[in-house]
Amino acid sequence: MTETLTPPVVNGHANPQVSLLKFAPEPPGDDNHEGEAVDRPDNPLADWLTVPDVPILPTWARSAASLKANTAALGRLCLWHARYHLLRAPKYALRTAWLATKGLWRAVRGLWPTLTAHDQTAPVKALRAQVKAKPEDVETAARYALAHRQRTITRRWRWGAAATAVAATAVGWYLAPLPVQAGMVAAAALPLAYLGRGDDVQLLDNPTPPLRIDMSAQQLNDALRAAGLLKQGKGDDEGPRITCVMGPVRDGNGWAVIFDLPKGGGKTAADVLAKRTAIAAELGVDEIQVIAARVRAAAGGNAGRVSMWVADDDPYLGDPNPSPLVKAEKFSVWEPIPFGQDARGNRITVPIMWQSLFFGGLPRRGKTFTQRLMTAAGLLDPYVRHYVADGKGGADWMPMKAVAHRLVMGAEDDAVEALKAMLKELLAEMERRFVLLRGLPVSVCPEGKLTPAIVEKYNLPVIFVTIDELQEYFTAMERDDREQVINDLCRIARRGPAAGFISNFASQRPDADSVPTKLREIITLRYCTQVVDQTSSDMVLGKGKAAQGADASVLSEDHRGTGVLVTGPASFVTVRADFLPGPGFAELCQRGRALRITHKQLTGDAVGDVTAAADQAGLSIAPVLSDCLDVMRHTDRMHTADLLDRLVNVDEDRYGDWDAEQLAAELEAAGVDRTTKQVKVGGINRAGYRRADLEAAVPAELLLAARRVEGEPTTPPATETPSGDSPDSA
């Protein structure tokens, strides 16, 4: 027997002349074939031997956490059904008794032919007729007598057996203990109730409500064909059909289906999204009930695969969902902000760091309430500094006076000047931060952007730039000022995110005149409530978004707080935003002020807020005096007529019927002593008020605690940028 060796050297010779050894075959080199033997192109079994690249276990069984969650869900489902039916136990008992009575009647009626020997009655009657016809026939008479006697015997022993069984059961039930008696009643009642049920009668109630709509693969094919997405067949041939990857199946309060369009038709998933209204009409539902989206390659899809969910009813109606921020003690804006829920009830969160936001839509559709959700999250983060401007000058953003570093209310001349000054301050702060970040070592600032560690170590809070009713400022400005403000806003939205600036803009009329295209196009996240048409929707969400399915014009006036959220070029979802009412927002502002005082981050105009200082000191000032100070925050004097107009804008219910005399009387009762009743504003001398006279009515300790601050930077000047390579030197 020869020995097998590998061939490198034999007895010191690399190439022996004579060898009695058999060498092992050399492994094939890399230059012959690429890959394993199974993958070689000349292997006819390559396809058959290829291991499928699919998971062995289903999605719900691939992790212990998933198994645990599904087991818990099954337990909750069983508990719910048990409580549902236990509550209806008396109803079920009465229904069982009634059905058992019907079943007993049906049982007796079914057993009566047996007890009366009905099977033997027909021959007896026939013989009786023959005897009557031929009385002299002795043989027939004998046969009749024998058959009658046999029927009588059969009846006797059958009735006897039935009576014995009933008597034995009654005696046994009487002698048995109570639990056994109950068991015997149940053992008899349940079969009788089952016998007494009808085709449309059920013993137990169905906890699942009847379906509002129904959907099958055939209905979906018919709808797509009617919408022009599938070719019509010829003759008896129906034509091409979709391939359902999943469903249609019930999914929550609707039907879910994933399907592939047939090849050769030239239609894509984008065509299906564009035809959503036509598909909804063919399915017999409103287009708001049809939620369709492309299935991307990352989820196993392709350009012709569509995921569709058809709701039983409008999924965006009903009681609003309260914002979870109301109960939160603190929040970090570095985490995604809870924003709302989609049609299926899934929680939608929005990451806002390095982003800019734009909100648009018709008035009184919840646009401002939704915009305030982002600001509310920043209120609970003490290392967020707020710059707020409200072109309407109403009460929506007035609670921010307790927190905002800068607060501009209204779009009058003084407010416009304050807005321009605020933007200049923001630009200066942005450039100063970039100089500082460039000077930090890579170990501290690896990407040249703000980080949570830099925020706290160098006291560089994240800056929220919130501007509501943007169109009011643009329409109130001259052309040159308007262009300058637009350029400033573009610089902040384009370069600011790296320095920790988050732009949060909103407008009712997002057209080229009210909000220029060059400003809207650099916004990364957009949200649109109801608008009048697809053109207006595209102005907010981006050109061509309506054709992709992101169309806010399908929303109705009942969809307050609901809008389309666009988070990327091909990513959008219709969201029912969380509800944060005005009082809740005001409470968050006070909590945000307390957090900033604790962390020594209260700066700017918020330090000089008299009302907030009064609340903090446990004192109170007259509401009219507080409101007058708020509307005069950008000027030291104001005419009475202008002051009344601004008060009405803040609270129309309170000040709508006031005149100059009532205003003077209320302020006098609040302690205001006017040094002069005439003030000159813009070269015009009329009746009015001086801010100094109003502040004189405020207790001196409040003015001392809430002295106005001009907003000096809380970080060292840029000229003191650290140098060196270590974090300590920075």
Side-chain angles (χ1 to χ4, degrees), residues 49-98:
L49 294 176
T50 301
V51 178
D53 188 15
V54 294
I56 299 176
L57 296 176
T59 305
W60 57 270
R62 294 177 191 172
S63 65
S66 178
L67 287 172
K68 183 178 179 181
N70 283 283
T71 302
L74 178 61
R76 291 193 300 269
L77 179 63
C78 294
L79 179 61
W80 184 90
H81 278 278
R83 293 171 57 190
Y84 179 90
H85 293 296
L86 184 63
L87 184 64
R88 291 160 176 79
K91 177 182 178 181
Y92 295 159
L94 293 176
R95 185 181 295 171
T96 301
W98 167 245

Side-chain angles (χ1 to χ4, degrees), residues 27-30 32-50:
D30 295 339
N32 294 333
H33 298 284
E34 296 181 358
E36 300 179 357
V38 175
D39 299 330
R40 283 158 48 177
D42 57 346
N43 185 4
L45 301 178
D47 293 338
W48 184 71
L49 294 176
T50 301

